[in-house]
Amino acid sequence: MTTFREHTDNSASNPDRKLTLAEVLEIFAAGRRPLKFTAYDGSSCGPEDATLGLDLLTPRGTTYLATAPGDLGLARAYIAGDLRLSGVHPGDPYDLLTALTERLEYKRPPARVLANVLRSIGIEHLKPIAPPPQEHLPRWRRIAEGLRHSKTRDAEAIQHHYDVSNKFYSWVLGPSMTYTCACYPHPDATLEEAQENKYRLVFEKLRLKPGDRLLDVGCGWGGMVRYAARHGVKVLGVTLSKEQAQWAADAVERDGLGELAEVRHGDYRDVRESRFDAVSSIGLTEHIGVANYPSYFRFLQSKLRPGGLLLNHCITRNNNRSHATAGGFIDRYVFPDGELTGSGRIITDMQDVGLEVVHEENLRHHYAMTLRDWSRNLVAHWDDAVDEVGLPTAKVWGLYIAASRVGFEQNAIQLHQVLSVKLDERGSDGGLPLRPWWNA
């Protein structure tokens, strides 16, 4: 296989040699191995016996790659059907994405090599073209929807991601309809066992008992709401997704939990009730914006009685220095306006509003396993999923879930649960046990 270093060295020694499209594609993929690259001009490079690769099918794909280098250009070309991921199922391209992260010894290509790439593909491919219709507007154009993380703009972003199709989500997520990290009690546990175990863990960490009141913000399809209600707790769940709220309300009635559980379609900031015994935030913090953490945790604290507990469960970065904004693919196709930071920032902001953090743990490996199982579900229901939402959207989800799994496995991202308590005016936590009181 011709390596990326060989490509750049050869181009440096002979800068006038026109590169084939397969060679350009390999450079766009940063010289990763062991992959085979082919292109519509008939060119190819890489080992002939490679089982994984990228096939550039159309001139439009070249334009997508040239005008948005990196994950966004690759995603555009793939979702539009101009780039094929060979050797993998579109519902689970995990093996290919893993190979793409196996970096060779890398050096930045010289400027004249990049100039040769531009000459080789032709100036006609440097003019941006319309992205696939599944792509959300860039951040600078979303101002028409309101300022970032305003109620109006948050509602639109949530609708983009969650109001896809409840039927589609049921095929991916399984019967629990739970779109957050599960907690596997053992390596061979099923997804359903792991999701039930996650709700059990949250319930026990919050020391909930029959008769208590729980506020579940960002309640999704109501998994935590129904779990707590089945155990005698009075629960209010809130979600910005209309489809989630309707599905969850129907499930509450179907399960005969209407006297204990309520699901509202609305913004958590509109909740007027207070003095809850506990608040759970499972998978919402990713959507609110890092700059809003202080006001977010201050609001949740205001909803608790003294001695009440708050559990925050969310995806984080692996450090507290990285930029919070998501990459191009995630921001345009998956979570518009989503932001991530490290668990240290979350703990700091909880402490700074007066909450006392009593426990923290990282469930990174559990999320990788959860995503593995979601990918298996998508593959098993692929034809139905494509019929329901269309091939491009189904491909977005296959790519997103598999890429996220790689991210968790390689510690690019993590999942942290942080448990805190609202102290009274004298600093009392209401008599919490001296050591963790739940079954891990």
Side-chain angles (χ1 to χ4, degrees), residues 59-69 72-73 76 118 121-132 135 138 140-141 332:
R60 183 176 65 178
T62 301
T63 301
Y64 279 139
L65 294 174
T67 55
L72 183 58
R76 285 173 172 170
L118 299 180
I121 64 175
I123 193 171
E124 68 272 14
H125 291 295
L126 301 182
K127 182 179 179 180
I129 58 176
E135 182 171 315
W140 66 271
R141 289 187 59 191
R332 300 287 187 90

Side-chain angles (χ1 to χ4, degrees), residues 62-277:
T62 301
T63 301
Y64 279 139
L65 294 174
T67 55
D71 67 335
L72 183 58
L74 286 166
R76 285 173 172 170
Y78 171 61
I79 292 162
D82 303 306
L83 181 71
R84 181 170 56 224
L85 312 183
S86 60
V88 293
H89 191 286
D92 186 13
Y94 167 79
D95 289 339
L96 178 57
L97 297 180
T98 299
L100 284 169
T101 64
E102 295 175 354
R103 182 183 291 273
L104 294 174
E105 182 184 359
Y106 178 83
K107 66 176 182 180
R108 183 179 179 84
R112 60 181 178 178
V113 172
L114 293 179
N116 190 23
V117 168
L118 299 180
R119 286 196 300 270
S120 297
I121 64 175
I123 193 171
E124 68 272 14
H125 291 295
L126 301 182
K127 182 179 179 180
I129 58 176
Q134 292 74 25
E135 182 171 315
H136 201 282
L137 294 172
R139 284 178 179 248
W140 66 271
R141 289 187 59 191
R142 296 176 201 163
I143 192 65
E145 300 161 1
L147 296 176
R148 190 183 306 176
H149 301 299
S150 65
K151 291 181 180 180
T152 300
R153 184 157 159 178
D154 278 353
E156 206 288 333
I158 292 298
Q159 180 182 12
H160 174 87
H161 186 74
Y162 292 101
D163 288 352
V164 176
S165 161
N166 284 336
K167 185 179 293 185
F168 173 81
Y169 274 109
S170 73
W171 289 322
V172 175
L173 305 180
S176 75
M177 286 293 279
T178 300
Y179 188 32
T180 49
C181 174
C183 183
Y184 288 74
H186 55 83
D188 297 325
T190 67
L191 176 61
E192 290 307 301
E193 290 172 336
Q195 292 293 12
E196 181 78 2
N197 186 54
K198 184 265 299 295
Y199 289 130
R200 188 273 312 164
L201 179 63
V202 173
F203 188 91
E204 291 184 5
K205 283 184 175 182
L206 291 173
R207 299 189 76 203
L208 290 164
K209 61 185 184 302
D212 281 350
R213 297 172 64 237
L214 169 67
L215 171 62
D216 185 36
V217 293
C219 69
W221 288 274
M224 186 67 206
V225 170
R226 286 178 288 124
Y227 183 94
R230 286 197 300 269
H231 291 78
V233 172
K234 188 172 180 59
V235 195
L236 171 59
V238 183
T239 174
L240 268 176
S241 166
K242 184 177 181 180
E243 290 200 19
Q244 283 184 336
Q246 186 60 61
W247 192 99
D250 291 344
V252 165
E253 291 304 313
R254 182 189 66 232
D255 294 348
L257 301 171
E259 293 186 1
L260 289 171
E262 177 190 354
V263 176
R264 291 181 190 168
H265 173 222
D267 195 292
Y268 74 90
R269 288 165 284 195
D270 293 329
V271 172
R272 297 288 179 257
E273 296 89 337
S274 62
R275 296 193 64 82
F276 288 91
D277 297 287

Side-chain angles (χ1 to χ4, degrees), residues 3-18:
T3 68
F4 181 51
R5 178 178 288 279
E6 289 169 347
H7 272 318
T8 55
D9 288 347
N10 290 342
S11 297
S13 61
N14 184 13
D16 295 325
R17 182 181 71 84
K18 185 177 181 180

